[in-house]
């Protein structure tokens, strides 16, 4: 005799992450846990959608009355924009979305939450970007989203570095478009006259022992953030910890993003 | 801090039940439990598909490499036949399917398992239809599927009754097409010279106190089956139990069907 499971039924509301490939994603277990923690009978499942099938699959899925939202990962963050009636300002500037949800008026809204997760992680720690001098390393997908989200938080200045000069300059212009009053410029990595150091480059990921910045010692007043999730303590965070800095970890950004996206999906705590 | 769930991840294989409406279905919890009992990392989720969306949704879903099968319920059991490359003999005769799965050769196979669940329930009890004289009450969806499945089991004879004479005669012809050697005829409900009495009519469901057959007492040698799942003990089964008959319940048919469909989906015990 089998025993029925208690986490899926005909009443369960569905969400999905769409990618190609899909097996590597962590959203199903993390978002489903976030939904359960809020008392919702909802699941987020993985949908492997092939590139040739994307354009008939997304509208078919969003036509299901019991499916309320989609997350997009590689390679669909740009392409998915076509299906939204409303696109949030962050996503418009980044040029990509990672969440699509019902807007309550029969249409679909979309936004990108990668950068908002970083802002949320700082907020939960009682840390503000307002008036702060920021050094951002990395202007790729994560760095762009973080830079643009922070530009909404009234920082004093943002210096940003990327190995790819054009990419760095593109992000400089995007940040200026958010708030022309921010002093923003491309720069070499530095912690001189910096309050918050943000790493959004892949340097230090997994077995990579390198630091994204050459520095002898950090000032303990510095706040150091690393977007990398694995390892939990990157070489950069280890060095910052030894100097007595305040650390904000990639996992905190991830949890902040999940929380903001769960809000966006309309799942509010009971 | 939220704790991750352990029943869905990027690796989880997906199955779905498609219907309109959907909230009433029991397959998600029952099939998912069946998959888990066999050690499979798989979920069956509910998909509410609207009639106007059916024809673009089914092909889009079956194009997902991590979705391996679909179950169809009201109103799609006939319409879904169009998507199968191979249709099992039971489904061809019934004219409906309830399961669609990959055939291992790049195509899709389909069959109907309602009646096979009844045969499986009897097999698990060590009961055979071979050589037996059968009275079947009800020639609707469930009755047709049961009659046709039993026709493959070499019974001696099948008498069948339905309030709708045309429906009864149609099923008589379908059973004859399966095996012309079976004595099959339309008849009034009776247990005279009958070994197995099958109720596939809705009489006795939920609060309905009626019996589907007018009879003073059953012979204890009679086997009595009722396809009704709720209540577990229908008025028919209660009377048969009091007479000392062998009973086979609707829930046993349901579990037999789940087991056969889980096999069909390619999920074999570890």
């Amino acid at each position: 005799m089998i025993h029925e499971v208690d986490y899926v039924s005909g009443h369960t509301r569905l969400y999905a992450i769409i990618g190609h490939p899909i097996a590597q994603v962590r959203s199903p277990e993390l978002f489903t846990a976030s939904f359960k923690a809020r008392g919702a009978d909802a699941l987020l499942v993985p949908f492997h959608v092939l590139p040739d099938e994307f354009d008939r699959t997304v509208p078919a899925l969003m036509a299901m009355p019991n499916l309320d939202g989609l997350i997009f990962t590689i390679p669909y963050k740009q392409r998915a924009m076509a299906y939204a009636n409303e696109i949030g300002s962050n996503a418009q500037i980044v040029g990509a979305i990672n969440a699509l949800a019902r807007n309550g008026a029969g249409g679909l809204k979309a936004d990108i939450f990668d950068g908002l997760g970083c802002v949320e992680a700082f907020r939960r720690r009682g840390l503000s970007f307002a008036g702060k001098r920021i050094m951002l390393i990395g202007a790729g997908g994560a760095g762009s989203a973080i830079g643009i989200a922070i530009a909404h938080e009234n920082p004093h200045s943002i210096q940003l570095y990327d190995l790819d000069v054009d990419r760095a300059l593109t992000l400089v212009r995007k940040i200026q478009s958010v708030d022309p009053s921010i002093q923003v410029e491309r720069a070499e990595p530095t912690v001189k006259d910096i309050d918050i150091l943000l790493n959004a480059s892949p340097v230090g990921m997994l077995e990579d022992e390198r630091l994204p910045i050459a520095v002898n010692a950090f000032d303990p007043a510095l706040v150091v953030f690393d977007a990398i999730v694995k390892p939990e303590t990157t070489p950069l965070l280890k060095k910052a910890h030894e100097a007595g800095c305040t650390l904000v970890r990639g996992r905190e950004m991830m949890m902040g993003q999940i929380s903001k996206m769960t809000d966006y999906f309309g799942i509010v705590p009971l």
Side-chain angles (χ1 to χ4, degrees), chain A:
Chain A
M1 193 60 196
I2 59 172
H3 297 281
E4 295 175 24
V5 302
D6 62 1
Y7 48 82
V8 63
S9 78
H11 296 276
T12 303
R13 306 299 301 179
L14 295 180
Y15 297 82
I17 179 165
I18 292 186
H20 171 63
I22 200 70
Q24 80 290 349
V25 300
R26 300 290 316 281
S27 293
E29 56 266 47
L30 292 167
F31 276 88
T32 300
S34 172
F35 300 163
K36 298 286 168 191
R38 296 188 184 194
D41 178 7
L43 274 177
L44 191 137
V45 295
F47 282 163
H48 186 178
V49 174
L50 300 173
D52 285 351
E53 299 288 341
F54 187 80
D55 291 316
R56 75 165 166 180
T57 304
V58 172
L61 294 176
M62 293 311 299
M64 288 187 195
N66 70 331
L67 191 149
D68 294 328
L70 297 174
I71 296 176
F72 296 93
T73 185
I74 294 167
Y76 297 127
K77 288 187 177 191
Q78 287 79 33
R79 200 171 162 188
M81 293 183 85
Y83 295 99
N85 307 105
E86 293 173 23
I87 296 178
S89 60
N90 273 347
Q92 284 180 24
I93 297 164
V94 174
I97 66 169
N98 72 338
L100 184 70
R102 304 199 186 283
N103 69 359
L108 297 175
K109 63 181 182 177
D111 213 334
I112 191 158
F113 289 84
D114 306 55
L116 296 178
C118 176
V119 172
E120 175 68 7
F122 274 66
R123 190 192 64 75
R124 291 182 175 193
R125 291 289 208 89
L127 300 168
S128 168
F129 291 98
K132 297 293 167 57
R133 299 165 299 177
I134 292 156
M135 175 76 224
L136 170 60
I137 300 172
S144 297
I146 290 169
I148 291 162
I150 289 172
H152 288 85
E153 301 294 314
N154 302 311
H156 173 270
S157 60
I158 301 177
Q159 296 187 58
L160 66 90
Y161 171 76
D162 195 284
L163 271 173
D164 181 333
V165 174
D166 286 342
R167 197 154 77 161
L169 291 174
T170 298
L171 183 54
V172 165
R173 284 191 296 272
K174 288 182 173 182
I175 289 173
Q176 285 169 331
S177 78
V178 173
D179 183 350
S181 76
I182 303 168
Q183 294 179 29
V184 51
E185 60 180 6
R186 197 187 78 83
E188 293 301 307
T190 180
V191 287
K192 184 169 187 298
D193 298 325
I194 291 295
D195 302 304
I196 300 174
L197 172 64
L198 305 167
N199 179 46
S201 82
V203 176
M205 191 178 284
L206 299 175
E207 309 300 316
D208 184 351
E209 298 283 353
R210 294 174 300 159
L211 292 168
I213 181 172
V215 64
N216 287 324
F218 289 123
D219 184 317
L222 190 70
V223 176
V224 180
F225 164 80
D226 200 325
I228 291 169
V229 175
K230 280 186 183 177
E232 199 179 336
T233 300
T234 59
L236 173 66
L237 291 177
K238 182 165 183 288
K239 193 173 178 78
H241 176 68
E242 287 164 3
C245 299
T246 298
L247 311 186
V248 182
R249 296 172 193 275
R251 188 175 170 86
E252 293 174 75
M253 169 169 143
M254 186 176 77
M255 300 315 288
Q257 181 174 354
I258 289 169
S259 175
K260 299 301 276 185
M261 289 174 75
T262 304
D263 293 344
Y264 193 71
F265 283 148
I267 296 181
V268 293
L270 282 183

